[in-house]
Amino acid sequence: MSIVGRNLMEPEPTLLPAEPEVTESLADGQEPVDLAAAHPTSSLVWALLAEEALDNGYTVEGYAYARVGYHRGLDALRGAGWRGSGPVPWTHEPNRGFLRALAALGQAAASIGETEEVHRITAFITDCDPEALDQVATVR
């Protein structure tokens, strides 16, 4: 791997572990609401619940689901060696649940007028991966 063009002061990207039971269950058609109890630490499950709630006009519920997904994701990131900053790349598929939960939290915060939180979330997700917000929009 070349170091040319890489910021040597920036930590290595954090890569969350895969959740094969979750992704296989979703691929088999299981609903996120049914998976939440079986896999409460999965940011992806909570992100999907948040997105569905927000898409159906349930802003407060979407905010709550997104908040859970965000916090579960922070726990997972810390468990993977993340120290509060550094890349969390969208290209690593297991990171997408956390990034989607974070984006949903920003959307919900905007809907309830939490302007300062929206700014913090936008900065955080951009610090994780500058292309993540655009990528989240393509999967929804």
Side-chain angles (χ1 to χ4, degrees):
M1 172 183 211
S2 172
I3 62 171
V4 175
R6 182 170 177 266
N7 179 350
L8 298 177
M9 298 300 290
E10 184 174 87
E12 288 292 318
T14 301
L15 306 177
L16 293 174
E19 299 177 315
E21 290 180 19
V22 171
T23 55
E24 289 169 13
S25 295
L26 289 167
D28 289 342
Q30 280 196 279
E31 294 295 324
V33 70
D34 297 325
L35 293 173
H39 303 281
T41 61
S42 173
S43 286
L44 178 59
V45 169
W46 294 108
L48 293 170
L49 289 169
E51 291 169 355
E52 182 178 351
L54 292 168
D55 289 347
N56 288 307
Y58 296 101
T59 304
V60 172
E61 293 86 345
Y63 184 90
Y65 289 139
R67 176 73 58 195
V68 172
Y70 163 72
H71 282 286
R72 292 301 190 153
L74 288 177
D75 292 342
L77 286 169
R78 289 182 189 112
W82 185 75
R83 301 287 179 247
S85 66
V88 181
W90 174 267
T91 55
H92 182 66
E93 192 165 338
N95 289 352
R96 294 179 185 178
F98 168 72
L99 295 168
R100 288 175 73 170
L102 187 56
L105 184 58
Q107 179 186 347
S111 294
I112 62 172
E114 286 283 338
T115 306
E116 288 182 27
E117 185 172 31
V118 173
H119 293 300
R120 286 190 305 271
I121 290 168
T122 301
F124 186 13
I125 199 167
T126 301
D127 288 346
C128 288
D129 186 330
E131 298 189 17
L133 281 173
D134 290 337
Q135 294 299 322
V136 167
T138 66
V139 297
R140 292 205 47 211

